Amino acid sequence: MPVQSGAPDRAPLRPGLRLHDILTLKDETDAGGRLLLEDSAPKKAIKRVDRAGVPMRAARSTYTDTPSRVDGLFNASAYDAFRHDLGDVLDGFAWLTRNYAERNPAHKGTVQGLLDVSNLGLTLPLVLFRRGVDPVPLHGSLPTYVGSLFKASRGVFSAAVDMHNKRGPVPTTGAEVVRFADEEGHLRRPATGRVCAAPTRLIERTIDVILTGEGGDPDVTTLGELVDFDRLWAFYRLQEAFTRALNHYRFVLDKLVEGGVSLYDAERLFASTIEESGRKGSFGDYTMAFLQYVNEAQQRMNQLLDRSGEVPPLLFEDILRIL
């Protein structure tokens, strides 16, 4: 008679991913075939969805209440999709804000809260696409309202970061954020001249929901069926800590390069003296400590995604590519 182990066999974990592959979107599409990155996606992806008949119609902005957008081109087709999903998008944001505010009540209605919730909206597809258990297929399956929520978050996040840097984590309103975004050029993309497509009042309304949770119904959204907020929040916090550490490493490296040290002179670069938290040391030692942190973060992200933590370690050359 065969001996029973008493424990069911567990399916092997999906292979782990490198940090860049976890945190970077490329040509992913929603259930309607629209690219999450729209016209910021790789050219090959844009051509592919165009051949598939996904509309990317452009139009001129006439929103005189935000002067920075006047006569700029916007993606009218993406706006049509957003408008179709508007109720679901606002309900989804209300769900994110409610869960966020339960953990950070002092940040509700502030620039800090706006930054965090919009960044959660950016993080959401990463978790859905990259998780090891029941991942959302990369093409043609993500609910369209999640894609629209992600795109709205992209527009809000950059303004929120700038506003936080210049004004701090202060209380604010949708109207104040839009006025700031207009004055600081966040409603028009400098490289392409493309502008935000939504009417000003709709942008304000969406931001108010992100700030307060009011104006959407968190109890009717299906977002909670798609993702566990505790896992999303844990992943977000880990990602944010990594981003801050990476930005500081970039700052230290840039200062060395500005001082005349070449990236291609490894011996001199790693022997260079830097000062961190009042202590002097070599850039080489600083890099070794940073790489240890980065690889631990990579392992923990994969674990949060229910993937194997056994991933090839990141090296200095990998960090340069990420930077």
Side-chain angles (χ1 to χ4, degrees):
M1 186 174 183
V3 178
Q4 308 233 348
S5 66
D9 292 334
R10 295 186 62 183
L13 293 175
R14 290 175 184 259
L17 299 171
R18 306 296 293 277
L19 265 178
H20 183 267
D21 294 323
I22 293 175
L23 300 177
T24 304
L25 289 173
K26 299 174 184 176
D27 65 348
E28 293 85 350
T29 59
D30 65 18
R34 300 204 66 81
L35 291 160
L36 265 69
L37 296 181
E38 293 286 353
D39 52 357
S40 296
K43 291 182 179 179
K44 287 184 178 179
I46 294 174
K47 290 180 179 178
R48 186 184 72 239
V49 299
D50 181 59
R51 288 195 299 268
V54 177
M56 296 187 73
R57 179 175 57 87
R60 291 276 177 191
S61 171
T62 58
Y63 302 133
T64 56
D65 50 1
T66 46
S68 69
R69 292 196 286 170
V70 173
D71 204 38
L73 280 175
F74 63 79
N75 189 331
S77 297
Y79 172 59
D80 289 342
F82 177 82
R83 184 173 55 185
H84 178 270
D85 289 328
L86 179 59
D88 290 332
V89 170
L90 297 182
D91 293 341
F93 273 130
W95 184 83
L96 290 174
T97 298
R98 180 176 69 181
N99 281 281
Y100 170 78
E102 287 174 353
R103 292 155 180 79
N104 302 274
H107 293 161
K108 185 177 180 179
T110 70
V111 177
Q112 181 66 60
L114 182 69
L115 190 159
D116 286 332
V117 176
S118 60
N119 207 353
L120 280 167
L122 295 177
T123 305
L124 179 60
L126 297 177
V127 173
L128 294 176
F129 285 135
R130 311 295 186 238
R131 63 191 180 193
V133 178
D134 194 25
V136 174
L138 300 181
H139 301 104
S141 294
L142 185 75
T144 59
Y145 82 88
V146 177
S148 293
L149 188 152
F150 167 80
K151 294 167 194 179
S153 297
R154 285 186 79 199
V156 172
F157 177 69
S158 62
V161 170
D162 192 23
M163 196 172 186
H164 187 278
N165 290 338
K166 292 175 178 175
R167 300 188 182 179
V170 297
T172 191
T173 65
E176 289 175 353
V177 174
V178 172
R179 185 162 53 250
F180 174 88
D182 184 40
E183 293 170 353
E184 298 296 330
H186 291 284
L187 299 180
R188 178 185 287 263
R189 200 180 305 163
T192 63
R194 290 279 180 145
V195 301
C196 179
T200 303
R201 185 66 195 100
L202 180 53
I203 303 174
E204 293 175 358
R205 178 184 175 191
T206 303
I207 292 174
D208 279 329
V209 176
I210 298 173
L211 285 167
T212 68
E214 299 172 10
D217 189 344
D219 292 321
V220 302
T221 182
T222 61
L223 208 50
E225 300 170 14
L226 292 173
V227 68
D228 174 70
F229 187 85
D230 285 336
R231 188 179 296 253
L232 176 66
W233 178 242
F235 184 89
Y236 166 71
R237 294 183 67 187
L238 182 56
Q239 174 191 258
E240 270 299 282
F242 164 72
T243 300
R244 288 194 299 272
L246 184 67
N247 287 339
H248 186 69
Y249 186 83
R250 180 190 289 113
F251 171 78
V252 173
L253 182 59
D254 286 347
K255 294 291 285 186
L256 288 175
V257 173
E258 290 169 7
V261 181
S262 171
L263 289 175
Y264 304 102
D265 187 348
E267 183 175 353
R268 184 184 173 198
L269 177 65
F270 292 126
S272 297
T273 299
I274 63 171
E275 186 171 333
E276 280 290 298
S277 303
R279 296 181 180 180
K280 291 185 177 181
S282 72
F283 180 69
D285 288 342
Y286 174 64
T287 296
M288 289 296 293
F290 178 69
L291 286 173
Q292 180 178 349
Y293 164 77
V294 166
N295 283 300
E296 288 174 356
Q298 178 175 259
Q299 184 178 42
R300 289 172 62 197
M301 282 188 192
N302 275 292
Q303 290 170 344
L304 278 172
L305 294 171
D306 288 324
R307 288 182 173 271
S308 169
E310 299 177 4
V311 189
L314 293 164
L315 306 175
F316 175 67
E317 293 77 9
D318 299 311
I319 299 302
L320 290 183
R321 282 192 286 271
I322 294 174
L323 293 174

